[in-house]
Amino acid sequence: MKLTRNEARYKRKRRIRKKISGTSDQPRLVVFRSNKYIYAQIVDDEKQETKVASSSISLAREKSLNKETARLVGRDIAQKARQFGLEKVVFDRNGYVYTGRIKALADSAREEGLKF
C-alpha cells in the first residue's frame, strides 16, 4: 500500500530524529512548514524546552508564503538565537526535502551567523 505524503514525511522525520538530538550546548533548529506559514524553533532536547521561536505569522505583512518569507524567518530566528547566546545548532529539516523554502530559511540563518 502506498503511503500518503504526510505518512512518508513522518517516516523520514522519525528516521532523522533517531540520529540527531539537541543539547544545551548545541540545540536543535526545527523547521515546520504548512501551506500558509513557516515556523522555526530552537529546542533543547535534554531539558525539553524551546529556547527561541519565530514564524511567518508574526513577520510577514502578507499571507503569501514564498522563499522571501522563509528568509525573513531564518534571519529572525538567527538574530533571536544570538541574543540568547546561541551560536551553534543542529538543523532538523523535519522530514521535508532540503529545497525551496527549507533551504532558503537555512541559508539565511547561516548568513546571520548561526553555525550548523
PDB file of all heavy atoms in Angstrom, residues 22 30 38 48 55 65 74 76 99 101 105 108 114:
ATOM      1  N   GLY A  22      19.110  17.635  20.187  1.00  0.00           N
ATOM      2  CA  GLY A  22      19.615  18.917  20.630  1.00  0.00           C
ATOM      3  C   GLY A  22      20.086  18.863  22.064  1.00  0.00           C
ATOM      4  O   GLY A  22      19.434  18.275  22.925  1.00  0.00           O
ATOM      5  N   VAL A  30      14.486  23.359  14.532  1.00  0.00           N
ATOM      6  CA  VAL A  30      13.423  22.599  13.891  1.00  0.00           C
ATOM      7  C   VAL A  30      12.628  23.507  12.970  1.00  0.00           C
ATOM      8  O   VAL A  30      12.289  24.622  13.347  1.00  0.00           O
ATOM      9  CB  VAL A  30      12.453  22.008  14.937  1.00  0.00           C
ATOM     10  CG1 VAL A  30      11.465  21.071  14.274  1.00  0.00           C
ATOM     11  CG2 VAL A  30      13.190  21.305  16.028  1.00  0.00           C
ATOM     12  N   ILE A  38       5.378  29.288   7.756  1.00  0.00           N
ATOM     13  CA  ILE A  38       6.573  28.509   8.057  1.00  0.00           C
ATOM     14  C   ILE A  38       7.008  28.879   9.471  1.00  0.00           C
ATOM     15  O   ILE A  38       6.933  30.040   9.873  1.00  0.00           O
ATOM     16  CB  ILE A  38       7.691  28.731   7.018  1.00  0.00           C
ATOM     17  CG1 ILE A  38       8.814  27.740   7.224  1.00  0.00           C
ATOM     18  CG2 ILE A  38       8.193  30.151   7.023  1.00  0.00           C
ATOM     19  CD1 ILE A  38       9.721  27.565   6.027  1.00  0.00           C
ATOM     20  N   GLN A  48      14.051  19.594  27.478  1.00  0.00           N
ATOM     21  CA  GLN A  48      12.739  19.581  26.841  1.00  0.00           C
ATOM     22  C   GLN A  48      12.080  20.963  26.901  1.00  0.00           C
ATOM     23  O   GLN A  48      10.970  21.125  27.390  1.00  0.00           O
ATOM     24  CB  GLN A  48      11.835  18.534  27.467  1.00  0.00           C
ATOM     25  CG  GLN A  48      12.323  17.126  27.233  1.00  0.00           C
ATOM     26  CD  GLN A  48      11.388  16.096  27.814  1.00  0.00           C
ATOM     27  OE1 GLN A  48      10.488  16.410  28.573  1.00  0.00           O
ATOM     28  NE2 GLN A  48      11.602  14.853  27.447  1.00  0.00           N
ATOM     29  N   SER A  55       8.105  32.718  13.472  1.00  0.00           N
ATOM     30  CA  SER A  55       7.209  32.204  12.444  1.00  0.00           C
ATOM     31  C   SER A  55       6.858  33.307  11.459  1.00  0.00           C
ATOM     32  O   SER A  55       7.048  34.486  11.736  1.00  0.00           O
ATOM     33  CB  SER A  55       5.931  31.647  13.062  1.00  0.00           C
ATOM     34  OG  SER A  55       5.141  32.705  13.556  1.00  0.00           O
ATOM     35  N   LEU A  65       3.213  32.892   1.092  1.00  0.00           N
ATOM     36  CA  LEU A  65       4.353  32.145   1.590  1.00  0.00           C
ATOM     37  C   LEU A  65       5.270  31.844   0.420  1.00  0.00           C
ATOM     38  O   LEU A  65       4.891  31.173  -0.526  1.00  0.00           O
ATOM     39  CB  LEU A  65       3.901  30.833   2.248  1.00  0.00           C
ATOM     40  CG  LEU A  65       5.010  29.987   2.813  1.00  0.00           C
ATOM     41  CD1 LEU A  65       5.769  30.752   3.889  1.00  0.00           C
ATOM     42  CD2 LEU A  65       4.481  28.712   3.389  1.00  0.00           C
ATOM     43  N   GLY A  74      14.229  32.856   8.827  1.00  0.00           N
ATOM     44  CA  GLY A  74      15.585  32.394   9.116  1.00  0.00           C
ATOM     45  C   GLY A  74      16.448  33.493   9.701  1.00  0.00           C
ATOM     46  O   GLY A  74      17.204  33.273  10.658  1.00  0.00           O
ATOM     47  N   ASP A  76      15.330  36.125  11.340  1.00  0.00           N
ATOM     48  CA  ASP A  76      14.790  36.448  12.660  1.00  0.00           C
ATOM     49  C   ASP A  76      15.200  35.421  13.710  1.00  0.00           C
ATOM     50  O   ASP A  76      15.588  35.786  14.822  1.00  0.00           O
ATOM     51  CB  ASP A  76      13.264  36.544  12.579  1.00  0.00           C
ATOM     52  CG  ASP A  76      12.647  36.998  13.880  1.00  0.00           C
ATOM     53  OD1 ASP A  76      13.079  38.050  14.395  1.00  0.00           O
ATOM     54  OD2 ASP A  76      11.735  36.321  14.368  1.00  0.00           O
ATOM     55  N   THR A  99      15.037  21.702  -0.123  1.00  0.00           N
ATOM     56  CA  THR A  99      14.985  22.602  -1.270  1.00  0.00           C
ATOM     57  C   THR A  99      13.967  23.681  -0.967  1.00  0.00           C
ATOM     58  O   THR A  99      13.204  23.588  -0.007  1.00  0.00           O
ATOM     59  CB  THR A  99      14.554  21.889  -2.571  1.00  0.00           C
ATOM     60  OG1 THR A  99      13.261  21.306  -2.365  1.00  0.00           O
ATOM     61  CG2 THR A  99      15.527  20.837  -2.997  1.00  0.00           C
ATOM     62  N   ARG A 101      11.778  26.525   0.287  1.00  0.00           N
ATOM     63  CA  ARG A 101      11.621  27.337   1.487  1.00  0.00           C
ATOM     64  C   ARG A 101      12.496  26.856   2.635  1.00  0.00           C
ATOM     65  O   ARG A 101      13.011  27.668   3.406  1.00  0.00           O
ATOM     66  CB  ARG A 101      10.163  27.343   1.928  1.00  0.00           C
ATOM     67  CG  ARG A 101       9.279  28.060   0.945  1.00  0.00           C
ATOM     68  CD  ARG A 101       7.847  28.015   1.374  1.00  0.00           C
ATOM     69  NE  ARG A 101       7.243  26.757   0.952  1.00  0.00           N
ATOM     70  CZ  ARG A 101       6.103  26.281   1.423  1.00  0.00           C
ATOM     71  NH1 ARG A 101       5.446  26.932   2.333  1.00  0.00           N
ATOM     72  NH2 ARG A 101       5.622  25.146   0.974  1.00  0.00           N
ATOM     73  N   LEU A 105      15.382  29.237   4.313  1.00  0.00           N
ATOM     74  CA  LEU A 105      15.430  29.524   5.750  1.00  0.00           C
ATOM     75  C   LEU A 105      16.798  29.172   6.329  1.00  0.00           C
ATOM     76  O   LEU A 105      17.395  29.961   7.066  1.00  0.00           O
ATOM     77  CB  LEU A 105      14.326  28.743   6.468  1.00  0.00           C
ATOM     78  CG  LEU A 105      14.105  29.070   7.932  1.00  0.00           C
ATOM     79  CD1 LEU A 105      12.637  28.993   8.261  1.00  0.00           C
ATOM     80  CD2 LEU A 105      14.867  28.136   8.831  1.00  0.00           C
ATOM     81  N   SER A 108      19.596  31.662   5.091  1.00  0.00           N
ATOM     82  CA  SER A 108      19.544  32.985   5.710  1.00  0.00           C
ATOM     83  C   SER A 108      19.954  32.926   7.180  1.00  0.00           C
ATOM     84  O   SER A 108      20.558  33.869   7.691  1.00  0.00           O
ATOM     85  CB  SER A 108      18.154  33.597   5.566  1.00  0.00           C
ATOM     86  OG  SER A 108      17.216  32.870   6.306  1.00  0.00           O
ATOM     87  N   LEU A 114      24.402  31.847  12.460  1.00  0.00           N
ATOM     88  CA  LEU A 114      24.226  30.531  13.075  1.00  0.00           C
ATOM     89  C   LEU A 114      25.115  29.523  12.380  1.00  0.00           C
ATOM     90  O   LEU A 114      25.251  29.545  11.160  1.00  0.00           O
ATOM     91  CB  LEU A 114      22.772  30.065  12.965  1.00  0.00           C
ATOM     92  CG  LEU A 114      21.811  30.499  14.051  1.00  0.00           C
ATOM     93  CD1 LEU A 114      20.446  29.881  13.802  1.00  0.00           C
ATOM     94  CD2 LEU A 114      22.289  30.125  15.419  1.00  0.00           C
TER      95      LEU A 114
END
